[in-house]
Amino acid sequence: MVTNNPKVKEEFKNMEFIEGSFLDVLIKVRDLVYRGHELITHPLGASIRMIYSPYRSIIIGRKNDIDSFHIETIENSILNYKKNMEVRKPDNKNKNDYALIDSELLKSGLEEHLENEKICI
């Protein structure tokens, strides 16, 4: 897990906390994907509104072989984020709400991933 969300930092131990922006989280995840980690959750949120969040948490998987699909996904996510943020700033006014939403989306993604892992075993 890679996050810049202080709420997630309080709730989880097994994660890498980034002192920085949403973009900093994307860049860190990109670096990990280039080292062979897989994306478990999509780097961008489920709605366009979440792209204006100051926080982002992304679940990554074990280190395997480098996967071009995951590389393309994270690279496109960075490009899309930058494109959208050219005309907007992060919505820091509602940062507590975004922190809560990001945390809940993370929990949901983690539960779904763990359930899928049980099915595969």
Side-chain angles (χ1 to χ4, degrees):
M1 213 178 303
V2 180
T3 187
N4 69 335
N5 185 342
K7 183 168 179 54
V8 171
K9 182 180 179 183
E10 291 174 8
E11 295 175 349
F12 293 92
K13 292 181 181 164
N14 189 15
M15 55 84 194
E16 183 164 350
F17 187 75
I18 304 298
E19 292 282 347
S21 68
F22 189 137
L23 181 58
D24 294 325
V25 171
L26 292 175
I27 290 169
K28 179 61 178 182
V29 170
R30 180 203 58 201
D31 294 348
L32 292 168
V33 168
Y34 273 101
R35 290 186 201 132
H37 291 272
E38 64 180 334
L39 296 170
I40 302 298
T41 57
H42 197 280
L44 299 178
S47 78
I48 191 68
R49 185 73 183 133
M50 287 305 292
I51 208 164
Y52 305 122
S53 168
Y55 303 118
R56 185 66 183 140
S57 301
I58 303 169
I59 301 171
I60 58 171
R62 295 181 197 102
K63 190 171 182 178
N64 298 310
D65 294 329
I66 295 174
D67 186 313
S68 61
F69 173 77
H70 294 281
I71 288 172
E72 186 176 341
T73 300
I74 188 64
E75 291 289 357
N76 286 335
S77 295
I78 291 170
L79 290 173
N80 285 333
Y81 179 80
K82 286 179 176 180
K83 180 181 174 185
N84 279 289
M85 297 310 287
E86 284 177 356
V87 295
R88 297 269 316 240
K89 300 280 186 224
D91 183 3
N92 288 309
K93 179 181 175 186
N94 297 301
K95 67 182 181 178
N96 292 335
D97 293 334
Y98 281 117
L100 176 63
I101 293 167
D102 178 68
S103 174
E104 292 301 312
L105 289 171
L106 177 69
K107 289 175 192 173
S108 176
L110 191 56
E111 286 174 14
E112 183 177 334
H113 174 65
L114 293 174
E115 187 62 35
N116 288 337
E117 287 290 310
K118 287 179 190 175
I119 292 169
C120 293
I121 293 177

